[in-house]
Amino acid sequence: MKILVIEDDKKVASFVARGLREDGYSVDVSHDGAEGLLNAHVYDYDVLVVDIMLPGKNGYEVVRDLRSEGNLVPVLFLTARDAPDEVVRGLDLGGDDYLTKPFSFDVLLARLRALIRRRGSNRRDRLSFSDLELDRIRHTARRGEDQLKLTPMEFRLLEHFLRRPEEVVRRTELLEKVWDLQFDPGSNVVDVHVGNLRKKLQDAGGSPLIHTVRGVGYVLSEKAPE
């Protein structure tokens, strides 16, 4: 799952992003409201974590603009402003939850999981293909009776493939959807991580399931492309 953190305090943004990545999420960070709004327009996020006091556009304006355009991505306001009228304003403008600083990171994770579960029917908690099953909320994956021991990056890759079974997924798409915005697109990191994931799938079930489409990308399928 992909999360956008819009936070101008770089220490707070780094702390939140690092914790979310360690928990298996793909995270982009914007340090001002205008940049955050642009990223929310360009990329498909599962949830936004938005500070209120931001340069460029404040968090209220970011959410107001998104909602006026029909963008219903869940939004968690994360802010030092805790006055009741501030909370009411944020929720009335379209925010889905409100957490004040300082905060417990475990509480932040629990609230994000709740927002993602409530997002809608197109965001299924469980994804499956063949004898693979992935639980997006509990961050677990199985092949048949075997629990897969995946790194956070391998989990995100498998999640993306399971959302697009039998479809060719380009390397550029994986960089955009699974990796962070600042990642070097010229790196061979995609091939390395996909190779590691494919080996774990093969070790658990006898066939790799993820196949290379030369010059294009990969496909999750029970049969190798001809």
Side-chain angles (χ1 to χ4, degrees):
M1 296 185 186
K2 197 170 181 69
I3 296 176
L4 174 63
V5 176
I6 310 177
E7 168 65 69
D8 65 324
D9 186 321
K10 294 185 177 180
K11 288 184 178 179
V12 173
S14 177
F15 167 73
V16 172
R18 183 173 63 251
L20 291 174
R21 287 172 184 140
E22 289 175 355
D23 205 57
Y25 296 99
S26 175
V27 184
D28 294 335
V29 177
S30 297
H31 294 300
D32 68 73
E35 179 188 60
L37 183 60
L38 176 61
N39 286 336
H41 285 151
V42 174
Y43 301 99
D44 180 25
Y45 294 103
D46 291 279
V47 65
L48 308 185
V49 178
V50 183
D51 189 16
I52 291 176
M53 298 300 294
L54 295 167
K57 279 181 176 287
N58 66 43
Y60 292 143
E61 293 171 326
V62 170
V63 175
R64 180 200 62 200
D65 290 353
L66 287 172
R67 297 302 187 240
S68 68
E69 298 159 2
N71 190 324
L72 299 180
V73 60
V75 173
L76 170 69
F77 282 115
L78 183 63
T79 177
R81 290 188 166 190
D82 59 356
D85 59 329
E86 297 282 0
V87 177
V88 170
R89 183 183 179 192
L91 297 177
D92 283 348
L93 282 171
D96 298 278
D97 201 352
Y98 199 104
L99 185 61
T100 57
K101 305 172 185 175
F103 59 92
S104 161
F105 193 76
D106 287 339
V107 171
L108 173 64
L109 284 174
R111 293 194 176 196
L112 291 176
R113 289 195 296 268
L115 289 178
I116 292 168
R117 284 197 300 270
R118 296 201 300 265
R119 180 170 184 186
S121 59
N122 64 322
R123 296 285 173 172
R124 293 172 293 159
D125 290 350
R126 292 177 181 270
L127 300 172
S128 62
F129 175 79
S130 184
D131 57 350
L132 278 175
E133 184 177 283
L134 179 145
D135 188 317
R136 305 175 77 196
I137 302 302
R138 294 181 175 84
H139 290 274
T140 59
R142 304 183 67 86
R143 182 166 191 188
E145 298 300 320
D146 293 334
Q147 188 86 16
L148 296 172
K149 296 181 179 180
L150 305 179
T151 66
M153 181 58 67
E154 290 165 356
F155 185 92
R156 295 198 294 268
L157 278 170
L158 182 58
E159 178 186 11
H160 193 79
F161 283 122
L162 285 169
R163 292 172 65 182
R164 302 274 304 280
E166 305 289 357
E167 296 182 32
V168 176
V169 179
R170 295 179 177 273
R171 288 178 176 84
T172 52
E173 178 181 334
L174 291 174
L175 282 169
E176 175 186 324
K177 298 295 185 180
V178 179
W179 269 265
D180 301 329
L181 290 175
Q182 68 270 23
F183 208 89
D184 178 10
S187 169
N188 70 339
V189 69
V190 172
D191 304 293
V192 172
H193 283 281
V194 171
N196 291 338
L197 173 60
R198 180 161 45 198
K199 184 177 185 303
K200 289 183 179 181
L201 295 180
Q202 187 166 3
D203 290 344
S207 59
L209 287 181
I210 298 175
H211 307 281
T212 299
V213 181
R214 293 191 179 277
V216 181
Y218 306 93
V219 61
L220 176 66
S221 176
E222 291 183 320
K223 296 182 179 180
E226 297 180 359

